[in-house]
Amino acid sequence: MKENILEFHQIAAGYGDRQILKDVTLAIREGDFAGLIGSNGTGKSTLIKCVSGLLPLKRGKIMICGRDNTSLKSRERAQMVAVVPQSYHVEYDFTVEDIVMMGRNPYLSFRKKESQTDRDIVEEAMQMTNTAVFRDRLYNELSGGERQRVILARAIAQKPRIILLDEPTSALDVHHQIEVMELITRLNREEHMTVLAVLHDINMASRFCQRMIMLQEGVVTADGTPREVINRQNMESLYKMKLMIRESPLFHKPEIIPIRVMPEEKITAPCHIHVICGATEAVHLLEELDAKGYTLSAGVLNKLSEDWNICQELKIPCVDIEPFTPVTEEKQAENLEFMENADIILVAGVPFGESNIMNLHGLDQTRGELYIHRNALSHDYTDGKLAKQIQLLERTKDITYIETNSAFLEILKQKEYLDKNEA
Amino acid sequence: MKNKTDGKIDRKWAIPLSILACLAIMYVCTVTGIASIPFRDANRILLHEFLHLDVDMEGITDGSITIIRSVRLPRVVLGFLAGASLAVCGAGFQGIFKNPMADPFVLGVSSGAALGAAIGIVLHFGTTLLAFVGAFLTITLVYNISKVGKKVPVATLLLSGIAVSQTLSATMSIIMILNKQSMDQIMFWTMGSLNGKGWGQIITVLPYSLLGIALLLTTCRELDIMLTGEETAIQLGVNVESLKKRVLFASTVITAAVISVTGIIGFVGLVVPHVVRMITGPKHRVLMPLSLLFGGTFLIICDTAARSMAVWEIPVGIITSLCGGPFFIYLLRRMKRGGGL
């Protein structure tokens, strides 16, 4: 177990009468890469301000490297803690090298001028951040990404044990966001700096941090690995919105997909829709129908497909089969059972091949209205079996062909309107 | 790379070259004046009186010697001292206020001094001393009004400076109205002049100026960081409150000492650090010494103009403001166009 390098003991802080941090107790261990998450105004930046000595505490205490923060002189604190703000504007014409050299201030005094060691440290910091190439340019004239690298270089020149970052990437484009995060990761791993970063982007935090701390209304409400913290309950209570959580296939870290804040208009009369799908075509449609309040079922789905994932996530009953196995008669029988009570059956824009053509068997026996997405017909890998099957169906049932999913939703809306007026 | 080395050489020579130019201007201003002392004679007097060289002094009147020794040279030296002091204070103030429009008088030091002087003139008692005390009391008052807990927010400091300054000016106006016979004298005092000042005044001002300037020069790096923002400065280990106190204290000592002797000489402290910053950039390690040299030189030139242009002497404060005013407007125009400062 590594020792605690930064401890918060029941701290409370705020501006004037407004209490922002209410009761925060937290310990950051040496070598941690911790992400601080929370919605706007929950006190993340305030926490950073308290550590860096900008805001006095109302209650509790902060220990930095075993020493009480209030007993530290600002130069002593600056030797241990460096801060990287969100974005940083300087009105005067300082060069990049001037700005990075300012990072050495905690080690200098009016008697002690910059030594060769200081210059070497500044040089190294600029090399590490790729800022040495524009050392003589004015800081004012740099782009946002370049500026952020310069400020990181200044923080590195401070040779701190802890680096605090206040939304370091929020003003940057995606290229520079990743660049900055990679740089911070390097500082954490190679320079052994302990990192505490306020991050707005949960997915970025999940990807780069080993530990996530969730702050809500001035108290810590979750603390653990990204997998422990990013769950639906935490995220929905944090952001007060509908979102999905899934495993990022690339980084094997949980990620959130924000869906909507405003609730969908709910349907008034119950209506059961069965969706025949199986790959990725119906994900968005299923989610939207679910949000509108339709009773849903689906089948036959290949396990681990996107359609299957969303059914699991939204708890939509479905018939499923193992990946890459064909739909069997038994499974189709199960599927038909689901369809028995359905008011509407939709064949989503799923491609048909030998393994899933079975999905269309027995539809003539169902009582629900049948809708088929045009894409299903244009992605036919069955050597004409699909066309034949459709022809067979057309003999016994009225089929409505739809061009897009939104056209389908539009039809549902009109139908509901008519039904309501009839009633 | 070539440019960079060139730049470094430029910077290395900037201060020595400025010192040389400054000495040359001091010399020119000493030999220039309304009393017609021939150029050759003036040179001989300087060599004889100050370098103690054995020069032929034949044909030079005692009057000429006195003019050079006790009138012109002390004026030039005091002018340099005053200009240099005010300009360095201006640079310091602009640093802690992070505001290019700040000058040494912005917190009311000048109004305090003027009120003190006015009282002194009316009572015929220790004008210089009362001006000095007035300046000091004013800054103490402004500082304590602005204090919130242990901190002194810069914005509050500026605002209370303006408020106190206005109140003191109004009080001075009342004194002037009630004492019409002293009005001219008070008016002339507030315009600032080096007229009639001698070595005695220089000796009075010199220790304060030297001490204050030395103190200000130790704050260069911290002032640089202060320009990038007060919060950043704290995070980079600058003791911001102590820095403010040191700069305020040093500047007040210097300014109070200078203006209690010379009266209020405006615009030197505002304009000179500006011009220098435009040339050298914002780093105080270069800005401070060059402001010192430029400020001194600027005031000598203005004073020489003040005493040589007309038959009667124009107060030097009028000349500096006359030059400074339009320049200030030019700066404002430049800012409006987004030229940056």
Side-chain angles (χ1 to χ4, degrees):
Chain A
M1 191 79 169
K2 287 194 170 152
E3 64 170 308
N4 290 339
I5 195 164
L6 181 60
E7 293 171 16
F8 300 85
H9 295 282
Q10 296 176 313
I11 68 158
Y15 308 95
D17 290 336
R18 214 156 63 92
Q19 188 113 324
I20 306 280
L21 294 173
K22 288 176 186 138
D23 183 14
V24 175
T25 298
L26 187 66
I28 307 292
R29 288 177 290 274
E30 186 156 25
D32 267 0
F33 188 147
L36 201 55
I37 59 167
S39 53
N40 290 332
T42 50
K44 307 180 300 289
S45 303
T46 310
L47 198 71
I48 301 272
K49 278 191 179 171
C50 289
V51 181
S52 60
L54 298 183
L55 191 70
L57 299 182
K58 294 197 163 139
R59 187 161 48 78
K61 64 173 174 178
I62 297 176
M63 303 289 285
I64 301 175
C65 303
R67 295 180 61 187
D68 192 330
N69 197 13
T70 50
S71 73
L72 290 173
K73 291 191 182 122
S74 49
R75 55 185 284 128
E76 291 175 318
R77 188 184 302 113
Q79 291 176 4
M80 296 188 278
V81 182
V83 183
V84 176
Q86 181 177 349
S87 65
Y88 178 60
H89 179 71
V90 175
E91 282 164 48
Y92 292 83
D93 289 342
F94 287 106
T95 65
V96 167
E97 197 168 3
D98 291 340
I99 296 273
V100 180
M101 187 52 99
M102 288 179 187
R104 295 307 295 160
N105 184 63
Y107 301 92
L108 303 171
S109 68
F110 72 90
R111 265 175 265 121
K112 191 172 173 293
K113 296 260 172 292
E114 298 100 351
S115 66
Q116 190 55 44
T117 323
D118 295 312
R119 277 188 285 275
D120 289 345
I121 289 168
V122 166
E123 183 65 37
E124 196 191 345
M126 288 195 296
Q127 293 294 347
M128 198 186 277
T129 49
N130 265 331
T131 50
V133 280
F134 49 81
R135 66 173 78 219
D136 289 323
R137 277 175 60 195
L138 295 180
Y139 177 81
N140 283 337
E141 293 168 0
L142 302 180
S143 73
E146 289 168 334
R147 284 183 189 192
Q148 203 61 320
R149 266 157 46 207
V150 173
I151 296 308
L152 269 169
R154 190 186 67 188
I156 295 166
Q158 271 178 266
K159 290 267 166 198
R161 290 178 69 190
I162 306 166
I163 181 162
L164 304 174
L165 303 107
D166 192 356
E167 295 175 29
T169 60
S170 55
L172 305 180
D173 67 36
V174 93
H175 170 102
H176 294 101
Q177 283 180 13
I178 299 296
E179 182 179 49
V180 165
M181 291 307 288
E182 284 175 346
L183 199 55
I184 298 167
T185 308
R186 225 180 111 194
L187 293 179
N188 178 245
R189 293 203 188 133
E190 293 171 19
E191 306 292 315
H192 309 291
M193 287 183 196
T194 305
V195 176
L196 178 61
V198 172
L199 294 170
H200 251 316
D201 187 336
I202 295 285
N203 296 341
M204 191 79 87
S206 167
R207 180 175 159 188
F208 288 98
C209 301
Q210 304 143 357
R211 178 177 173 193
M212 283 172 78
I213 297 152
M214 188 165 106
L215 210 56
Q216 265 178 300
E217 286 166 21
V219 287
V220 175
T221 49
D223 182 357
T225 61
R227 210 172 292 279
E228 286 161 352
V229 172
I230 303 180
N231 57 45
R232 186 197 266 264
Q233 195 194 348
N234 281 346
M235 292 301 113
E236 286 193 342
S237 95
L238 183 58
Y239 292 116
K240 313 256 177 317
M241 66 176 294
K242 187 150 194 202
L243 40 77
M244 261 177 71
I245 291 162
R246 60 172 206 181
E247 176 95 359
S248 156
L250 211 50
F251 306 112
H252 296 289
K253 290 281 173 69
E255 64 179 11
I256 66 165
I257 298 164
I259 299 172
R260 70 175 68 78
V261 175
M262 308 265 258
E264 279 283 352
E265 208 177 308
K266 295 277 185 190
I267 51 164
T268 45
C271 177
H272 178 183
I273 301 175
H274 182 86
V275 183
I276 295 173
C277 51
T280 59
E281 302 72 24
V283 180
H284 187 209
L285 188 65
L286 283 168
E287 195 284 321
E288 215 159 320
L289 290 172
D290 181 67
K292 282 179 192 291
Y294 286 96
T295 313
L296 294 175
S297 58
V300 176
L301 309 175
N302 280 111
K303 281 184 182 168
L304 302 182
S305 68
E306 292 295 329
D307 288 349
W308 183 80
N309 281 337
I310 186 94
C311 285
Q312 302 303 308
E313 179 77 27
L314 300 176
K315 302 194 169 56
I316 297 170
C318 63
V319 185
D320 54 17
I321 50 174
E322 295 305 318
F324 302 106
T325 58
V327 179
T328 58
E329 273 183 55
E330 294 81 54
K331 283 289 172 186
Q332 180 59 9
E334 267 181 59
N335 202 13
L336 283 168
E337 267 174 48
F338 274 130
M339 283 185 247
E340 213 167 284
N341 296 320
D343 303 302
I344 291 168
I345 296 158
L346 170 70
V347 178
V350 59
F352 279 96
E354 287 297 340
S355 60
N356 67 340
I357 186 72
M358 181 59 92
N359 258 338
L360 297 178
H361 277 256
L363 287 192
D364 46 342
Q365 306 296 322
T366 55
R367 65 169 185 87
E369 292 170 31
L370 184 59
Y371 291 81
I372 298 182
H373 197 294
R374 287 269 181 212
N375 280 0
L377 303 178
S378 51
H379 294 86
D380 177 9
Y381 304 102
T382 59
D383 251 346
K385 279 185 194 164
L386 176 70
K388 222 180 264 175
Q389 190 72 36
I390 300 279
Q391 271 177 9
L392 221 63
L393 277 175
E394 272 180 334
R395 281 190 206 151
T396 49
K397 276 189 89 75
D398 282 335
I399 302 178
T400 313
Y401 292 98
I402 54 158
E403 300 293 331
T404 59
N405 286 345
S406 44
F408 179 65
L409 290 169
E410 198 53 42
I411 292 170
L412 290 181
K413 208 167 159 185
Q414 280 168 12
K415 235 170 96 65
E416 203 206 342
Y417 178 73
L418 286 177
D419 287 351
K420 214 189 310 185
N421 280 6
E422 269 172 32
Chain B
M1 273 325 263
K2 191 168 176 282
N3 276 338
K4 198 185 149 200
T5 355
D6 285 355
K8 277 209 169 145
I9 288 169
D10 284 347
R11 244 171 279 162
K12 213 169 99 187
W13 288 101
I15 292 175
L17 282 176
S18 303
I19 292 173
L20 281 179
C22 182
L23 288 172
I25 289 168
M26 281 172 110
Y27 165 72
V28 171
C29 291
T30 312
V31 297
T32 316
I34 203 143
S36 53
I37 301 170
F39 181 63
R40 207 171 151 260
D41 288 359
N43 282 335
R44 276 153 64 197
I45 297 168
L46 280 175
L47 290 173
H48 182 264
E49 289 293 312
F50 296 98
L51 297 176
H52 302 291
L53 293 179
D54 189 19
V55 257
D56 177 20
M57 294 293 280
E58 210 186 298
I60 299 174
T61 60
D62 282 353
S64 296
I65 296 175
T66 310
I67 286 177
I68 297 282
R69 188 181 57 198
S70 307
V71 179
R72 283 196 198 160
L73 200 65
R75 269 185 91 143
V76 165
V77 173
L78 185 64
F80 181 83
L81 194 60
S85 302
L86 292 174
V88 173
C89 292
F93 265 42
Q94 289 171 10
I96 54 165
F97 288 120
K98 242 191 101 184
N99 187 336
M101 295 302 153
D103 77 350
F105 304 151
V106 77
L107 296 183
V109 176
S110 52
S111 313
L115 182 62
I119 294 170
I121 289 167
V122 171
L123 300 178
H124 304 289
F125 164 76
T127 308
T128 305
L129 179 72
L130 285 176
F132 189 82
V133 172
F136 242 95
L137 286 180
T138 308
I139 201 80
T140 315
L141 181 67
V142 169
Y143 185 84
N144 282 306
I145 289 175
S146 322
K147 215 166 171 182
V148 182
K150 280 183 188 165
K151 291 185 178 174
V152 182
V154 161
T156 327
L157 201 56
L158 280 172
L159 288 174
S160 43
I162 290 167
V164 169
S165 180
Q166 292 294 329
T167 317
L168 296 180
S169 295
T171 316
M172 191 188 76
S173 301
I174 291 174
I175 291 179
M176 278 164 72
I177 290 167
L178 294 178
N179 298 279
K180 289 216 171 83
Q181 71 285 2
S182 309
M183 207 182 230
D184 281 358
Q185 219 185 331
I186 297 174
M187 279 288 283
F188 263 91
W189 192 91
T190 59
M191 284 170 189
S193 174
L194 300 174
N195 193 14
K197 307 292 177 327
W199 293 105
Q201 276 88 356
I202 294 172
I203 304 289
T204 312
V205 177
L206 196 64
Y208 297 104
S209 277
L210 286 183
L211 200 78
I213 290 173
L215 189 57
L216 282 179
L217 286 176
T218 63
T219 61
C220 287
R221 192 186 36 252
E222 289 167 301
L223 282 177
D224 284 355
I225 298 176
M226 197 70 177
L227 284 185
T228 71
E230 198 169 321
E231 294 200 345
T232 309
I234 295 172
Q235 289 165 346
L236 287 174
V238 176
N239 188 340
V240 170
E241 295 307 320
S242 143
L243 176 68
K244 282 185 208 163
K245 255 188 234 169
R246 276 179 282 150
V247 172
L248 282 182
F249 176 75
S251 301
T252 308
V253 170
I254 299 171
T255 314
V258 168
I259 63 176
S260 63
V261 166
T262 64
I264 299 165
I265 300 174
F267 277 99
V268 180
L270 175 72
V271 166
V272 171
H274 250 307
V275 181
V276 176
R277 196 180 291 112
M278 280 175 182
I279 301 165
T280 64
K283 287 178 87 174
H284 287 83
R285 199 174 293 172
V286 189
L287 178 65
M288 288 268 196
L290 282 184
S291 291
L292 187 147
L293 292 170
F294 275 52
T297 315
F298 175 68
L299 197 59
I300 294 172
I301 294 171
C302 286
D303 184 53
T304 309
R307 67 184 156 86
S308 316
M309 277 202 313
V311 188
W312 21 261
E313 167 122 13
I314 307 169
V316 68
I318 292 180
I319 304 277
T320 54
S321 297
L322 214 57
C323 303
F327 188 76
F328 194 67
I329 293 165
Y330 159 74
L331 286 178
L332 286 174
R333 297 282 302 166
R334 230 180 96 101
M335 280 225 305
K336 241 195 246 167
R337 281 199 292 270
L341 281 165

mmCIF file of all heavy atoms in Angstrom, chain A residues 295-323:
data_model
loop_
_atom_site.group_PDB
_atom_site.id
_atom_site.type_symbol
_atom_site.label_atom_id
_atom_site.label_comp_id
_atom_site.label_asym_id
_atom_site.label_seq_id
_atom_site.Cartn_x
_atom_site.Cartn_y
_atom_site.Cartn_z
ATOM 1 N N THR A 295 -44.648 -1.319 -25.542
ATOM 2 C CA THR A 295 -44.241 -2.632 -25.061
ATOM 3 C C THR A 295 -43.472 -3.278 -26.210
ATOM 4 O O THR A 295 -43.945 -3.291 -27.344
ATOM 5 C CB THR A 295 -45.473 -3.494 -24.737
ATOM 6 O OG1 THR A 295 -46.363 -2.701 -23.966
ATOM 7 C CG2 THR A 295 -45.088 -4.752 -24.009
ATOM 8 N N LEU A 296 -42.301 -3.763 -25.903
ATOM 9 C CA LEU A 296 -41.454 -4.255 -26.992
ATOM 10 C C LEU A 296 -41.062 -5.704 -26.777
ATOM 11 O O LEU A 296 -41.024 -6.209 -25.647
ATOM 12 C CB LEU A 296 -40.168 -3.426 -27.073
ATOM 13 C CG LEU A 296 -40.314 -1.962 -27.475
ATOM 14 C CD1 LEU A 296 -38.964 -1.265 -27.383
ATOM 15 C CD2 LEU A 296 -40.869 -1.842 -28.889
ATOM 16 N N SER A 297 -40.781 -6.353 -27.889
ATOM 17 C CA SER A 297 -40.094 -7.635 -27.856
ATOM 18 C C SER A 297 -39.285 -7.726 -29.133
ATOM 19 O O SER A 297 -39.500 -6.960 -30.069
ATOM 20 C CB SER A 297 -41.108 -8.780 -27.736
ATOM 21 O OG SER A 297 -42.019 -8.734 -28.809
ATOM 22 N N ALA A 298 -38.341 -8.642 -29.188
ATOM 23 C CA ALA A 298 -37.483 -8.715 -30.373
ATOM 24 C C ALA A 298 -36.971 -10.142 -30.566
ATOM 25 O O ALA A 298 -36.958 -10.944 -29.636
ATOM 26 C CB ALA A 298 -36.300 -7.764 -30.222
ATOM 27 N N GLY A 299 -36.571 -10.433 -31.776
ATOM 28 C CA GLY A 299 -36.010 -11.752 -32.040
ATOM 29 C C GLY A 299 -35.823 -11.959 -33.535
ATOM 30 O O GLY A 299 -36.321 -11.162 -34.318
ATOM 31 N N VAL A 300 -35.134 -12.954 -33.952
ATOM 32 C CA VAL A 300 -34.215 -13.726 -33.117
ATOM 33 C C VAL A 300 -32.844 -13.051 -33.215
ATOM 34 O O VAL A 300 -32.383 -12.779 -34.309
ATOM 35 C CB VAL A 300 -34.118 -15.173 -33.637
ATOM 36 C CG1 VAL A 300 -33.097 -15.975 -32.859
ATOM 37 C CG2 VAL A 300 -35.483 -15.848 -33.631
ATOM 38 N N LEU A 301 -32.234 -12.787 -32.095
ATOM 39 C CA LEU A 301 -31.016 -11.985 -32.095
ATOM 40 C C LEU A 301 -29.783 -12.838 -31.832
ATOM 41 O O LEU A 301 -29.826 -13.754 -31.013
ATOM 42 C CB LEU A 301 -31.089 -10.928 -30.992
ATOM 43 C CG LEU A 301 -32.332 -10.055 -30.935
ATOM 44 C CD1 LEU A 301 -32.271 -9.158 -29.711
ATOM 45 C CD2 LEU A 301 -32.441 -9.211 -32.189
ATOM 46 N N ASN A 302 -28.709 -12.472 -32.513
ATOM 47 C CA ASN A 302 -27.431 -13.099 -32.178
ATOM 48 C C ASN A 302 -26.896 -12.467 -30.900
ATOM 49 O O ASN A 302 -26.843 -11.248 -30.785
ATOM 50 C CB ASN A 302 -26.410 -12.889 -33.291
ATOM 51 C CG ASN A 302 -26.641 -13.865 -34.424
ATOM 52 O OD1 ASN A 302 -27.058 -13.470 -35.508
ATOM 53 N ND2 ASN A 302 -26.392 -15.151 -34.166
ATOM 54 N N LYS A 303 -26.506 -13.314 -29.968
ATOM 55 C CA LYS A 303 -25.935 -12.772 -28.740
ATOM 56 C C LYS A 303 -24.721 -11.900 -29.077
ATOM 57 O O LYS A 303 -24.010 -12.187 -30.041
ATOM 58 C CB LYS A 303 -25.503 -13.911 -27.806
ATOM 59 C CG LYS A 303 -26.667 -14.522 -27.069
ATOM 60 C CD LYS A 303 -26.210 -15.575 -26.092
ATOM 61 C CE LYS A 303 -27.418 -16.185 -25.428
ATOM 62 N NZ LYS A 303 -27.059 -17.403 -24.673
ATOM 63 N N LEU A 304 -24.505 -10.883 -28.262
ATOM 64 C CA LEU A 304 -23.381 -9.934 -28.382
ATOM 65 C C LEU A 304 -23.521 -8.962 -29.543
ATOM 66 O O LEU A 304 -22.678 -8.081 -29.721
ATOM 67 C CB LEU A 304 -22.020 -10.652 -28.477
ATOM 68 C CG LEU A 304 -21.669 -11.577 -27.331
ATOM 69 C CD1 LEU A 304 -20.281 -12.172 -27.548
ATOM 70 C CD2 LEU A 304 -21.703 -10.843 -25.997
ATOM 71 N N SER A 305 -24.590 -9.114 -30.374
ATOM 72 C CA SER A 305 -24.781 -8.101 -31.409
ATOM 73 C C SER A 305 -25.279 -6.827 -30.733
ATOM 74 O O SER A 305 -25.720 -6.857 -29.586
ATOM 75 C CB SER A 305 -25.803 -8.587 -32.440
ATOM 76 O OG SER A 305 -27.087 -8.669 -31.840
ATOM 77 N N GLU A 306 -25.190 -5.712 -31.448
ATOM 78 C CA GLU A 306 -25.618 -4.434 -30.863
ATOM 79 C C GLU A 306 -27.104 -4.471 -30.509
ATOM 80 O O GLU A 306 -27.522 -3.939 -29.482
ATOM 81 C CB GLU A 306 -25.329 -3.283 -31.834
ATOM 82 C CG GLU A 306 -23.854 -2.997 -32.058
ATOM 83 C CD GLU A 306 -23.148 -2.513 -30.800
ATOM 84 O OE1 GLU A 306 -23.799 -1.855 -29.974
ATOM 85 O OE2 GLU A 306 -21.952 -2.820 -30.641
ATOM 86 N N ASP A 307 -27.895 -5.071 -31.396
ATOM 87 C CA ASP A 307 -29.337 -5.159 -31.125
ATOM 88 C C ASP A 307 -29.586 -5.930 -29.826
ATOM 89 O O ASP A 307 -30.440 -5.576 -29.015
ATOM 90 C CB ASP A 307 -30.063 -5.873 -32.283
ATOM 91 C CG ASP A 307 -30.145 -4.986 -33.532
ATOM 92 O OD1 ASP A 307 -29.838 -3.788 -33.415
ATOM 93 O OD2 ASP A 307 -30.507 -5.501 -34.608
ATOM 94 N N TRP A 308 -28.816 -6.993 -29.650
ATOM 95 C CA TRP A 308 -28.957 -7.812 -28.446
ATOM 96 C C TRP A 308 -28.547 -7.018 -27.200
ATOM 97 O O TRP A 308 -29.228 -7.024 -26.181
ATOM 98 C CB TRP A 308 -28.079 -9.071 -28.583
ATOM 99 C CG TRP A 308 -28.195 -10.027 -27.443
ATOM 100 C CD1 TRP A 308 -29.190 -10.949 -27.246
ATOM 101 C CD2 TRP A 308 -27.281 -10.173 -26.349
ATOM 102 N NE1 TRP A 308 -28.963 -11.660 -26.107
ATOM 103 C CE2 TRP A 308 -27.794 -11.207 -25.531
ATOM 104 C CE3 TRP A 308 -26.092 -9.553 -25.990
ATOM 105 C CZ2 TRP A 308 -27.144 -11.621 -24.367
ATOM 106 C CZ3 TRP A 308 -25.450 -9.962 -24.838
ATOM 107 C CH2 TRP A 308 -25.973 -10.991 -24.035
ATOM 108 N N ASN A 309 -27.416 -6.259 -27.346
ATOM 109 C CA ASN A 309 -26.937 -5.442 -26.225
ATOM 110 C C ASN A 309 -27.992 -4.469 -25.732
ATOM 111 O O ASN A 309 -28.210 -4.326 -24.540
ATOM 112 C CB ASN A 309 -25.696 -4.643 -26.634
ATOM 113 C CG ASN A 309 -24.445 -5.494 -26.605
ATOM 114 O OD1 ASN A 309 -24.407 -6.509 -25.904
ATOM 115 N ND2 ASN A 309 -23.444 -5.101 -27.379
ATOM 116 N N ILE A 310 -28.633 -3.787 -26.694
ATOM 117 C CA ILE A 310 -29.608 -2.775 -26.270
ATOM 118 C C ILE A 310 -30.814 -3.444 -25.612
ATOM 119 O O ILE A 310 -31.384 -2.918 -24.658
ATOM 120 C CB ILE A 310 -30.028 -1.850 -27.447
ATOM 121 C CG1 ILE A 310 -30.925 -0.700 -26.945
ATOM 122 C CG2 ILE A 310 -30.799 -2.575 -28.517
ATOM 123 C CD1 ILE A 310 -30.205 0.531 -26.641
ATOM 124 N N CYS A 311 -31.174 -4.643 -26.087
ATOM 125 C CA CYS A 311 -32.286 -5.360 -25.452
ATOM 126 C C CYS A 311 -31.933 -5.723 -24.007
ATOM 127 O O CYS A 311 -32.762 -5.599 -23.104
ATOM 128 C CB CYS A 311 -32.630 -6.626 -26.232
ATOM 129 S SG CYS A 311 -33.508 -6.249 -27.751
ATOM 130 N N GLN A 312 -30.673 -6.112 -23.791
ATOM 131 C CA GLN A 312 -30.241 -6.424 -22.435
ATOM 132 C C GLN A 312 -30.289 -5.168 -21.571
ATOM 133 O O GLN A 312 -30.791 -5.170 -20.459
ATOM 134 C CB GLN A 312 -28.803 -6.984 -22.425
ATOM 135 C CG GLN A 312 -28.611 -8.237 -23.256
ATOM 136 C CD GLN A 312 -29.545 -9.356 -22.830
ATOM 137 O OE1 GLN A 312 -29.626 -9.705 -21.663
ATOM 138 N NE2 GLN A 312 -30.286 -9.900 -23.792
ATOM 139 N N GLU A 313 -29.751 -4.097 -22.143
ATOM 140 C CA GLU A 313 -29.657 -2.832 -21.416
ATOM 141 C C GLU A 313 -31.043 -2.317 -21.022
ATOM 142 O O GLU A 313 -31.262 -1.859 -19.910
ATOM 143 C CB GLU A 313 -28.925 -1.829 -22.320
ATOM 144 C CG GLU A 313 -28.746 -0.447 -21.765
ATOM 145 C CD GLU A 313 -27.637 -0.354 -20.723
ATOM 146 O OE1 GLU A 313 -26.710 -1.175 -20.791
ATOM 147 O OE2 GLU A 313 -27.729 0.529 -19.843
ATOM 148 N N LEU A 314 -31.975 -2.413 -21.970
ATOM 149 C CA LEU A 314 -33.315 -1.860 -21.721
ATOM 150 C C LEU A 314 -34.281 -2.925 -21.205
ATOM 151 O O LEU A 314 -35.460 -2.657 -21.041
ATOM 152 C CB LEU A 314 -33.862 -1.232 -23.006
ATOM 153 C CG LEU A 314 -33.032 -0.094 -23.598
ATOM 154 C CD1 LEU A 314 -33.624 0.380 -24.925
ATOM 155 C CD2 LEU A 314 -32.948 1.077 -22.636
ATOM 156 N N LYS A 315 -33.753 -4.130 -20.995
ATOM 157 C CA LYS A 315 -34.570 -5.250 -20.498
ATOM 158 C C LYS A 315 -35.770 -5.531 -21.405
ATOM 159 O O LYS A 315 -36.905 -5.714 -20.956
ATOM 160 C CB LYS A 315 -35.024 -4.981 -19.060
ATOM 161 C CG LYS A 315 -33.842 -4.756 -18.128
ATOM 162 C CD LYS A 315 -34.246 -4.838 -16.681
ATOM 163 C CE LYS A 315 -33.020 -4.887 -15.787
ATOM 164 N NZ LYS A 315 -32.085 -3.738 -15.991
ATOM 165 N N ILE A 316 -35.517 -5.545 -22.711
ATOM 166 C CA ILE A 316 -36.562 -5.885 -23.677
ATOM 167 C C ILE A 316 -36.528 -7.409 -23.848
ATOM 168 O O ILE A 316 -35.467 -7.969 -24.144
ATOM 169 C CB ILE A 316 -36.292 -5.198 -25.042
ATOM 170 C CG1 ILE A 316 -36.337 -3.674 -24.865
ATOM 171 C CG2 ILE A 316 -37.272 -5.676 -26.107
ATOM 172 C CD1 ILE A 316 -35.852 -2.895 -26.063
ATOM 173 N N PRO A 317 -37.656 -8.093 -23.646
ATOM 174 C CA PRO A 317 -37.643 -9.554 -23.822
ATOM 175 C C PRO A 317 -37.319 -9.917 -25.262
ATOM 176 O O PRO A 317 -37.817 -9.284 -26.196
ATOM 177 C CB PRO A 317 -39.071 -9.969 -23.447
ATOM 178 C CG PRO A 317 -39.876 -8.732 -23.410
ATOM 179 C CD PRO A 317 -38.973 -7.564 -23.287
ATOM 180 N N CYS A 318 -36.431 -10.901 -25.430
ATOM 181 C CA CYS A 318 -36.060 -11.263 -26.796
ATOM 182 C C CYS A 318 -35.668 -12.737 -26.872
ATOM 183 O O CYS A 318 -35.333 -13.356 -25.857
ATOM 184 C CB CYS A 318 -34.921 -10.386 -27.298
ATOM 185 S SG CYS A 318 -33.409 -10.590 -26.364
ATOM 186 N N VAL A 319 -35.753 -13.270 -28.077
ATOM 187 C CA VAL A 319 -35.286 -14.624 -28.339
ATOM 188 C C VAL A 319 -33.870 -14.495 -28.862
ATOM 189 O O VAL A 319 -33.610 -13.684 -29.754
ATOM 190 C CB VAL A 319 -36.163 -15.309 -29.410
ATOM 191 C CG1 VAL A 319 -35.744 -16.758 -29.598
ATOM 192 C CG2 VAL A 319 -37.623 -15.192 -29.050
ATOM 193 N N ASP A 320 -32.924 -15.229 -28.281
ATOM 194 C CA ASP A 320 -31.555 -15.091 -28.788
ATOM 195 C C ASP A 320 -30.899 -16.431 -29.074
ATOM 196 O O ASP A 320 -31.341 -17.476 -28.591
ATOM 197 C CB ASP A 320 -30.714 -14.254 -27.818
ATOM 198 C CG ASP A 320 -30.738 -14.803 -26.398
ATOM 199 O OD1 ASP A 320 -31.126 -15.976 -26.227
ATOM 200 O OD2 ASP A 320 -30.363 -14.060 -25.463
ATOM 201 N N ILE A 321 -29.890 -16.370 -29.920
ATOM 202 C CA ILE A 321 -29.104 -17.564 -30.265
ATOM 203 C C ILE A 321 -27.627 -17.222 -30.131
ATOM 204 O O ILE A 321 -27.265 -16.039 -30.069
ATOM 205 C CB ILE A 321 -29.398 -18.025 -31.719
ATOM 206 C CG1 ILE A 321 -29.269 -16.826 -32.676
ATOM 207 C CG2 ILE A 321 -30.765 -18.679 -31.823
ATOM 208 C CD1 ILE A 321 -29.394 -17.198 -34.138
ATOM 209 N N GLU A 322 -26.794 -18.255 -30.077
ATOM 210 C CA GLU A 322 -25.357 -18.023 -29.951
ATOM 211 C C GLU A 322 -24.845 -17.289 -31.192
ATOM 212 O O GLU A 322 -25.420 -17.409 -32.267
ATOM 213 C CB GLU A 322 -24.615 -19.364 -29.804
ATOM 214 C CG GLU A 322 -24.940 -20.119 -28.539
ATOM 215 C CD GLU A 322 -24.709 -19.306 -27.271
ATOM 216 O OE1 GLU A 322 -23.684 -18.594 -27.193
ATOM 217 O OE2 GLU A 322 -25.569 -19.366 -26.357
ATOM 218 N N PRO A 323 -23.763 -16.535 -31.049
ATOM 219 C CA PRO A 323 -23.229 -15.818 -32.216
ATOM 220 C C PRO A 323 -22.885 -16.776 -33.363
ATOM 221 O O PRO A 323 -22.402 -17.889 -33.113
ATOM 222 C CB PRO A 323 -21.967 -15.155 -31.677
ATOM 223 C CG PRO A 323 -22.111 -15.154 -30.204
ATOM 224 C CD PRO A 323 -22.987 -16.291 -29.845
#
